[in-house]
């Protein structure tokens, strides 16, 4: 029996929150462990996070809908969510570009400036949620007709 869309969206959102933390942890590792810059580090963290969210959505959100080959489904999930990824990444870049000026104007640049990359990840994740859910539900994990 199909799950209600509201339950799928809730599960998708909760997994997205988990993905956000995976993304931030991977970004911290990329920046401080691998020595990547903010942009290369973000690409690295996105790939880790998209793999986590694909697996968790396959396992918990869209259970029993599609069990095709994992690698093929991962590739389809990644491709289908690529526009959402562009929105996500664009929002991240926007926060990095505009954030310092806003924080400086508010006198908060010294205190909050180091947190901008992580705020960018959070803003990017929220911006792509609805688009990524729709692509996942109707393209990647769609029920057979």
């Amino acid at each position: 029996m199909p799950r209600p869309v509201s339950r799928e969206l809730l599960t998708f959102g909760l997994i997205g929150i988990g993905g956000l933390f995976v993304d931030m942890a991977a970004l911290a590792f990329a920046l401080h462990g691998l020595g990547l810059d903010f942009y290369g580090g973000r690409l690295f963290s996105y790939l880790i996070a998209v793999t986590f969210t694909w697996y968790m959505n396959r396992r918990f959100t869209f259970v029993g809908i599609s069990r095709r080959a994992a690698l093929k489904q991962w590739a389809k999930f990644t491709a289908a969510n690529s526009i959402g990824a562009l929105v996500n990444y664009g929002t991240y870049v926007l926060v990095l570009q505009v954030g310092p000026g806003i924080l400086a104007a508010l006198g908060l640049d010294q205190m909050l400036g180091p947190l901008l990359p992580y705020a960018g990840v959070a803003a990017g994740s929220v911006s792509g949620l609805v688009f990524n859910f729709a692509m996942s539900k109707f393209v990647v994990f769609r029920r057979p007709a």
Side-chain angles (χ1 to χ4, degrees):
M1 175 154 196
R3 292 173 129 182
V5 171
S6 60
R7 183 169 174 185
E8 286 178 340
L9 183 57
L10 176 64
T11 305
F12 190 87
L14 290 172
I15 289 169
I17 291 168
L20 172 63
F21 288 105
V22 167
D23 203 338
M24 288 183 184
L27 179 61
F29 174 72
L31 296 175
H32 305 292
L34 300 176
L36 297 175
D37 65 16
F38 290 141
Y39 305 102
R42 183 65 179 102
L43 182 59
F44 173 84
S45 71
Y46 173 76
L47 290 172
I48 298 297
V50 78
T51 299
F52 169 82
T53 57
W54 161 76
Y55 177 78
M56 297 300 284
N57 280 303
R58 176 182 168 102
R59 181 98 168 97
F60 298 106
T61 306
F62 303 108
V63 177
I65 294 172
S66 177
R67 289 291 152 219
R68 65 183 133 225
L71 184 58
K72 181 178 178 183
Q73 190 180 60
W74 175 86
K76 192 171 186 178
F77 181 84
T78 302
N81 287 276
S82 64
I83 295 172
L86 290 174
V87 169
N88 185 323
Y89 190 74
T91 303
Y92 172 78
V93 170
L94 182 66
V95 168
L96 287 182
Q97 296 298 313
V98 176
I102 293 171
L103 291 178
L106 296 172
L108 299 171
D109 51 325
Q110 293 296 322
M111 183 172 61
L112 298 179
L115 299 177
L116 275 178
Y118 307 103
V121 169
S125 294
V126 170
S127 70
L129 174 69
V130 172
F131 181 84
N132 287 340
F133 176 76
M135 292 301 289
S136 294
K137 180 165 181 61
F138 299 113
V139 175
V140 179
F141 298 102
R142 74 177 182 275
R143 292 191 180 279

